[in-house]
């Protein structure tokens, strides 16, 4: 039991350290400061509003402060994070032509998350490279 508590504390320290990295200090989706959630589908740090939008697409989201993370999840997050996700999902995204959505506008936020993660519009993949999608 004590070792489990120590592991939980260690995992939380690691995650809090990851939140201090420049790329993780802002929500990957809306650019708001201080994200407090992790989307475990993509290993990204997101804010409260974006966490709700991700859940609408059945993406799994965990609170940094309230949830317990396994050692495997922490390792995956160390290999992921916002910088790595930008390399994959935002590869061809142009912030000048497509600005970050306002986090208070849930429709724009939902559409943004759909375009980035569900439709994978900016990954650089041709549509023939993508796996077939179900209706969302």
């Amino acid at each position: 039991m004590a070792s489990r508590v120590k592991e939980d504390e260690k995992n939380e320290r690691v995650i809090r350290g990851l939140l201090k990295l420049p790329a993780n200090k802002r929500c990957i989706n809306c650019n708001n400061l201080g994200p407090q959630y992790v989307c475990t589908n993509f290993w990204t740090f997101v804010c409260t509003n974006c966490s709700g939008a991700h859940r609408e697409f059945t993406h799994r989201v965990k609170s940094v402060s309230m949830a317990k993370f396994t050692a495997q999840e922490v390792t995956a997050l160390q290999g992921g994070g916002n910088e790595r996700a930008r390399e994959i999902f935002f590869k061809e995204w142009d912030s000048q032509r497509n600005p970050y959505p306002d986090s208070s506008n849930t429709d724009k936020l939902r559409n943004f998350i759909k375009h980035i993660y569900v439709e994978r519009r900016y990954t650089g993949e041709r549509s023939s490279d993508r796996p077939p999608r179900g209706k969302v």
Side-chain angles (χ1 to χ4, degrees), residues 61-74:
V61 178
K62 294 176 86 170
S63 167
V64 169
S65 60
M66 301 296 284
K68 301 291 184 203
F69 288 81
T70 67
Q72 293 86 351
E73 288 172 327
V74 171

Side-chain angles (χ1 to χ4, degrees), residues 28-31 90 93-103 108-109 111-113 115-116 122:
I28 191 167
N29 300 314
C30 69
N31 212 33
F90 291 69
W93 183 69
D94 179 359
S95 61
Q96 300 302 315
R97 288 187 16 211
N98 305 302
Y100 284 103
D102 179 347
S103 67
K108 284 189 178 179
L109 207 53
N111 284 333
F112 182 80
I113 289 170
H115 296 323
I116 296 288
Y122 305 104

